[in-house]
Amino acid sequence: MIVTITPNPSLDRTYELGTLVPGEVNRASHDRLDPGGKGVNVSRALTAAGHRTSAVLPLGGLSGQLLADLLRRQGIDVAAVAIAGDTRINVSIAEDGGSLTKINAVGPELSAAESAALLALVRDVQRTGQDVGQGTGNDVDWLACCGSLPRGLAPEWYAEVVAQVHSGGARIALDTSGPALLAALSARPDVVKPNREELAEAVGRPVLTIADAVDAAEELRERGAQQVLASLGADGMLLIAGEGRWYGRAPVAAVRSDVGAGDASLAGFLGAGGTGPEALAAALAHGAAAVQLPGSVMPTPADLDPAVVVVTADLPLDRPLSG
């Protein structure tokens, strides 16, 4: 059982079209509506891969009801805190050439009572280790805390979650950025998953080469992270841990949509045990499959191509990063 926590979930509307022309009427060739938010996407990817998962999240308004309904239709257990505000709706525009334009709503502001209720729900789901209403036993191994914090939650909220999860005997993965990431490091999350830009922001300097990314990841470990799974976009991924350092790539011919690809990678990593080069290889395979699917569709085992994945402990430190 892997539990995900998404403090600021969303409904994600994706439009696909040839080329976006600003200021003009644009007609989509395809569109889809998916449950969204980073932790929600991790749960969707885990379910697609055949793992048990429970999604903990605050939900409000008609958009919140629809999000919960969409998750349940996909076979995902929903553990929700009812909030006064409406769950946000995000819009993505995917062009044929691979360009993606995203408009993310701010989302609702949580009250102090709603914040406390969400933290208590995390504790309860971890303690019972069960699908809601089914009582399948206390076997929660990982909790994944993902995404931005909504208004009303202090940056230290994730640090509270990490400490609470550890006190309950489980491991925790953290995928966030900025002050929330920095505040949580001292609580020693088992793995953090920044991308290149988030790494640079966390250490306050540019990340221009593989060596720069390794140095930044090692600094996050010095501050408390036990492992750093760093996404470098088209340049691959790094896993920096006490047991070793590994670098991997999984090239793809064309990118259709990268919405949720990082979340699919984290799901692959946790589903493969959450440590070591085999888990890194699974993360790369899931991410490569996700970018070739429309919108935020999560890959199934049939979509994975392990043959495109290369993982090595011989890090190409001098390699410059693209972009």
Side-chain angles (χ1 to χ4, degrees), residues 78-162:
V78 177
V81 167
I83 60 172
D86 290 346
T87 298
R88 61 183 177 153
I89 301 175
N90 296 335
V91 175
S92 296
I93 302 172
E95 300 177 63
D96 286 348
S99 176
L100 181 71
T101 301
K102 298 181 69 176
I103 303 172
N104 287 349
V106 174
E109 180 172 359
L110 270 62
S111 67
E114 291 167 344
S115 170
L118 187 59
L119 194 62
L121 181 58
V122 172
R123 181 179 60 249
D124 291 344
V125 169
Q126 180 183 355
R127 186 181 65 245
T128 58
Q130 62 183 27
D131 296 331
V132 169
Q134 309 222 357
T136 54
N138 187 11
D139 60 351
V140 173
D141 185 33
W142 279 97
L143 286 90
C145 238
C146 306
S148 62
L149 291 174
R151 292 174 297 157
L153 296 192
E156 294 76 20
W157 193 85
Y158 273 145
E160 292 184 63
V161 175
V162 174

Side-chain angles (χ1 to χ4, degrees), residues 72-86:
R72 292 186 177 111
R73 290 183 195 178
Q74 294 183 24
I76 297 172
D77 168 48
V78 177
V81 167
I83 60 172
D86 290 346

Side-chain angles (χ1 to χ4, degrees), residues 7-78:
N8 201 11
S10 63
L11 280 175
D12 287 353
R13 171 69 76 179
T14 301
Y15 297 98
E16 295 187 42
L17 45 78
T19 301
L20 175 66
V21 182
E24 300 290 337
V25 174
N26 291 265
R27 300 191 184 280
S29 57
H30 299 88
D31 68 275
R32 58 180 300 116
L33 183 66
D34 295 301
K38 296 182 72 64
V40 165
N41 289 336
V42 172
S43 275
R44 292 171 59 219
L46 288 167
T47 298
H51 297 284
R52 290 177 53 228
T53 181
S54 180
V56 177
L57 62 172
L59 295 177
L62 293 177
S63 53
Q65 294 175 30
L66 179 55
L67 194 156
D69 184 53
L70 289 172
L71 285 174
R72 292 186 177 111
R73 290 183 195 178
Q74 294 183 24
I76 297 172
D77 168 48
V78 177

